[in-house]
Amino acid sequence: MKKNIFYIVVIALSALTSCNKSFLDTENVTQASEQNFYKTPSDAFQALVGIYAGLKVANTNGFPMYSEILSDNAFGGGGYGDGKGLQLMDQFDPRVSLADQDMYSGAWADYYKAIYRANMLLKNIGRVDWTGSEDKSKLYIAETRFIRAYCYFDLIRLFGNIPLLTAPSNDNIPQANPDSVYSIIAQDLKYAIENIPAVSYAQQSKSTYGRVTKWAAEALMARVYLYYAGYYGKTDLVGMVTKAQALSYTEDIITNGGFGLVSDFSTLWPAASLDRYEGEDNKETVFSIKYTYTGDWSGNSDGNSWMVLFGIRYGANAQITPYAQGWGGATVNPKLWNAYSIADSVRQKATIISIAGEGLPKGGTVSDIQKDQREYTGYCWKKYTPMSDAAGKSLAEKLGSPSFMIGQYQDYVSIRYADVLLMAAELGAANAQSYLDAVRRRAMGTAFVTIPANKTNILTERQLEFAGEGIRYWDLLRQGIDVAASTIAESAALLTARVPATRTIAADKITTTKGLSQIPNTQITLSSGTLKQNAGW
């Protein structure tokens, strides 16, 4: 059952002015107007909730899943009868499917809707009359700017060349220089860091779980610094954040945030621990995007839809409890399963479902799973997978969702404390060795043996610790395009609809595209050519 009180409902506050259709697709979905809204503290809070909802909907489009498919952790997967959009994504090749040239259109539109909401609040919050109430304008602005930075960071990593809007607008504008986007990201996060109170984890209340904290802003700033410096080959973040400053942010979280590692890695994930689950908003959660099962088919999508894509795809005769039906996307690369040592089996088995290793299916045969599966490897994701009860009924539906497809209620933990420790170690912390050791000791228990806290070992540890969480691809890219390309490229023997198949991912496709994804062609058309497609697409 969901515990968070600050539950993000979809409220119609995304565009408070009328607008024409443009490539940003910020349609007017509200009865309110800019003139009659933003008057009271309640208006301001409703607008803020709408911004959180915008982030949730944008993430639902599948950024964590895309990030795994783009990496060496997973293949495209999906159903044999589906389009080949996931394969196009995985192979960095538009020729794979001419019918799927609009792969990211929903994500593009929803991220810009969230940004539009943020810009509307930032433009209008000065009109709110706080008389008789505590003036929370700086706090709301800080939370809003964090979310805008978060959205822009996802967009620019995925597409590289994007329009930058810092005020509500429906104009077609050309793509900005990436440094301009990163400058806004850094400014937004600095504002959040400086204007959100430093409330430790122990001091937080359930009513604030899911809201942005100073610690989340500091952690995201460190993540942005590491990616920007690595991908673009720079020593600072657009002249605004140095390596030493990025390190100081992580050290502040470690010293003052009150977070910690849960004792058993497997208890971080419902499907890996069942009744031993540590629960949402545990002491390792620095920032999460909240979901619940209470959505409907009328546009109120409150569930984590990309989890369904991660789930096992199977036929009518199969029984896979405690797991539930999914669409078989992002099939796990066997190389990842084999990358875990025997001493690291707890983390391996909490991260990945081994069809053979877990004796699946429990009813029917393996052929019932392989029948309609594209790029079957025998391995699926466990951290984020739909679940069922002992009778095979979807837990989402059992709790009241009209469908498992829209009711997956597991939060996406975007930033964990383990990530903060490993970022601090990579940034050169004096305690780098103890930070790396803490993460590895938790994973291996009595089999733990220390290894040097150098960059190679830290990055290897990050793959094993965060597999399935949407981090690996960006860790590869920030080591350089050539490193990413050579790591991801391979020719693998798989099964598609029970028939042997070979999946080839060519390094030159990754280098040609610079690791960037295809800008949706519908957005280029809507912009009347103002948007330019990325190289290689």
Side-chain angles (χ1 to χ4, degrees):
M1 188 68 69
K2 298 293 286 184
K3 295 188 298 183
N4 58 295
I5 298 174
F6 191 74
Y7 160 56
I8 310 304
V9 294
V10 176
I11 58 175
L13 291 169
S14 69
L16 298 179
T17 58
S18 61
C19 59
N20 298 317
K21 195 78 167 178
S22 76
F23 73 96
L24 295 180
D25 197 21
T26 51
E27 79 269 18
N28 184 8
V29 294
T30 183
Q31 299 290 323
S33 71
E34 189 174 359
Q35 287 70 40
N36 63 30
F37 202 67
Y38 297 107
K39 291 184 175 181
T40 68
S42 176
D43 290 345
F45 182 73
Q46 288 183 66
L48 178 65
V49 172
I51 294 162
Y52 276 94
L55 173 61
K56 177 195 68 176
V57 172
N59 185 76
T60 295
N61 271 287
F63 186 88
M65 183 193 71
Y66 300 156
S67 303
E68 293 301 332
I69 292 173
L70 290 168
S71 79
D72 59 332
N73 281 348
F75 299 103
Y80 178 64
D82 295 342
K84 293 186 176 180
L86 297 180
Q87 284 64 46
L88 176 153
M89 181 191 304
D90 187 34
Q91 297 173 59
F92 296 82
D93 190 348
R95 298 171 301 176
V96 170
S97 177
L98 297 178
D100 290 286
Q101 301 292 301
D102 209 30
M103 186 68 210
Y104 297 100
S105 188
W108 177 284
D110 284 335
Y111 273 108
Y112 273 108
K113 289 175 190 175
I115 290 167
Y116 192 96
R117 297 184 187 196
N119 286 337
M120 285 295 292
L121 177 60
L122 295 175
K123 175 186 176 183
N124 290 290
I125 195 167
R127 298 169 48 209
V128 173
D129 182 1
W130 298 92
T131 302
S133 301
E134 179 187 357
D135 187 341
K136 295 185 177 180
S137 56
K138 284 188 177 181
L139 176 61
Y140 289 4
I141 291 170
E143 292 179 72
T144 297
R145 292 185 69 168
F146 172 94
I147 293 172
R148 184 172 69 175
Y150 190 107
C151 290
Y152 270 130
F153 188 44
D154 279 2
L155 282 169
I156 198 162
R157 283 184 294 169
L158 195 58
F159 300 113
N161 303 288
I162 60 173
L164 174 64
L165 293 97
T166 57
S169 173
N170 305 115
D171 296 333
N172 287 338
I173 62 173
Q175 288 125 306
N177 182 295
D179 277 3
S180 298
V181 180
Y182 277 101
S183 180
I184 291 298
I185 292 171
Q187 290 175 49
D188 282 350
L189 293 177
K190 277 198 169 185
Y191 187 94
I193 291 166
E194 294 167 359
N195 289 279
I196 299 178
V199 178
S200 71
Y201 172 77
Q203 295 172 316
Q204 293 179 38
S205 65
K206 290 183 179 181
S207 65
T208 61
Y209 287 152
R211 292 183 73 165
V212 177
T213 64
K214 175 183 179 178
W215 323 116
E218 289 183 324
L220 186 57
M221 184 75 93
R223 182 179 286 181
V224 172
Y225 168 83
L226 283 167
Y227 183 78
Y228 176 86
Y231 184 79
Y232 295 99
K234 302 292 183 67
T235 58
D236 59 32
L237 175 56
V238 289
M240 297 180 63
V241 179
T242 66
K243 183 178 181 179
Q245 289 171 317
L247 173 59
S248 72
Y249 289 134
T250 60
E251 293 283 28
D252 188 33
I253 301 168
I254 294 167
T255 302
N256 300 308
F259 299 98
L261 299 176
V262 305
S263 59
D264 183 343
F265 178 87
S266 67
T267 62
L268 288 167
W269 319 105
S273 57
L274 303 178
D275 60 346
R276 297 181 300 109
Y277 176 42
E278 193 74 30
E280 293 170 352
D281 310 305
N282 60 66
K283 66 180 181 179
E284 196 162 334
T285 302
V286 178
F287 183 67
S288 64
I289 297 176
K290 312 295 289 183
Y291 291 96
T292 194
Y293 53 84
T294 56
D296 56 43
W297 290 112
S298 299
N300 299 315
S301 178
D302 301 328
N304 188 344
S305 298
W306 57 261
M307 275 186 62
V308 183
L309 286 161
F310 265 4
I312 301 172
R313 192 180 193 98
Y314 63 92
N317 295 324
Q319 297 174 21
I320 61 169
T321 55
Y323 315 120
Q325 177 73 58
W327 302 141
T331 50
V332 176
N333 193 325
K335 289 198 306 186
L336 176 63
W337 175 266
N338 294 327
Y340 291 91
S341 67
I342 294 174
D344 207 358
S345 62
V346 169
R347 198 160 48 174
Q348 177 195 53
K349 293 175 182 177
T351 298
I352 303 168
I353 299 167
S354 168
I355 299 297
E358 297 193 23
L360 297 176
K362 296 178 179 179
T365 68
V366 175
S367 291
D368 294 319
I369 295 177
Q370 298 173 342
K371 180 180 180 180
D372 188 40
Q373 175 68 58
R374 180 176 280 147
E375 299 178 324
Y376 176 84
T377 65
Y379 300 100
C380 305
W381 293 110
K382 186 180 288 186
K383 286 180 178 177
Y384 292 99
T385 195
M387 295 177 64
S388 67
D389 64 13
K393 183 176 179 61
S394 164
L395 293 188
E397 294 177 3
K398 193 171 183 178
L399 287 170
S401 173
S403 171
F404 74 94
M405 291 185 284
I406 61 173
Q408 298 304 321
Y409 53 89
Q410 183 178 337
D411 294 347
Y412 170 52
V413 183
S414 171
I415 305 173
R416 289 198 283 118
Y417 184 61
D419 194 2
V420 175
L421 291 174
L422 293 180
M423 285 194 293
E426 186 178 347
L427 287 164
N431 293 320
Q433 188 67 58
S434 65
Y435 296 160
L436 175 61
D437 287 350
V439 174
R440 297 186 67 252
R441 185 178 289 107
R442 189 262 299 270
M444 301 177 187
T446 57
F448 165 77
V449 176
T450 190
I451 60 175
N454 57 44
K455 186 172 182 179
T456 298
N457 287 339
I458 291 168
L459 287 168
T460 297
E461 193 63 27
R462 289 180 63 82
Q463 180 185 22
L464 302 174
E465 178 74 15
F466 305 121
E469 299 177 49
I471 291 177
R472 170 65 172 173
Y473 182 59
W474 316 112
D475 279 352
L476 285 174
L477 278 188
R478 64 186 180 83
Q479 296 176 64
I481 297 298
D482 290 341
V483 171
S486 63
T487 303
I488 296 169
E490 69 173 299
S491 184
L494 310 169
L495 291 178
T496 289
R498 302 176 183 162
V499 177
T502 299
R503 172 60 58 238
T504 299
I505 302 173
D508 69 306
K509 296 298 181 184
I510 301 168
T511 55
T512 299
T513 61
K514 298 181 181 178
L516 302 176
S517 293
Q518 182 184 49
I519 293 174
N521 280 340
T522 55
Q523 302 300 332
I524 293 175
T525 300
L526 284 168
S527 76
S528 300
T530 300
L531 289 179
K532 306 301 179 185
Q533 186 57 269
N534 285 328
W537 292 103

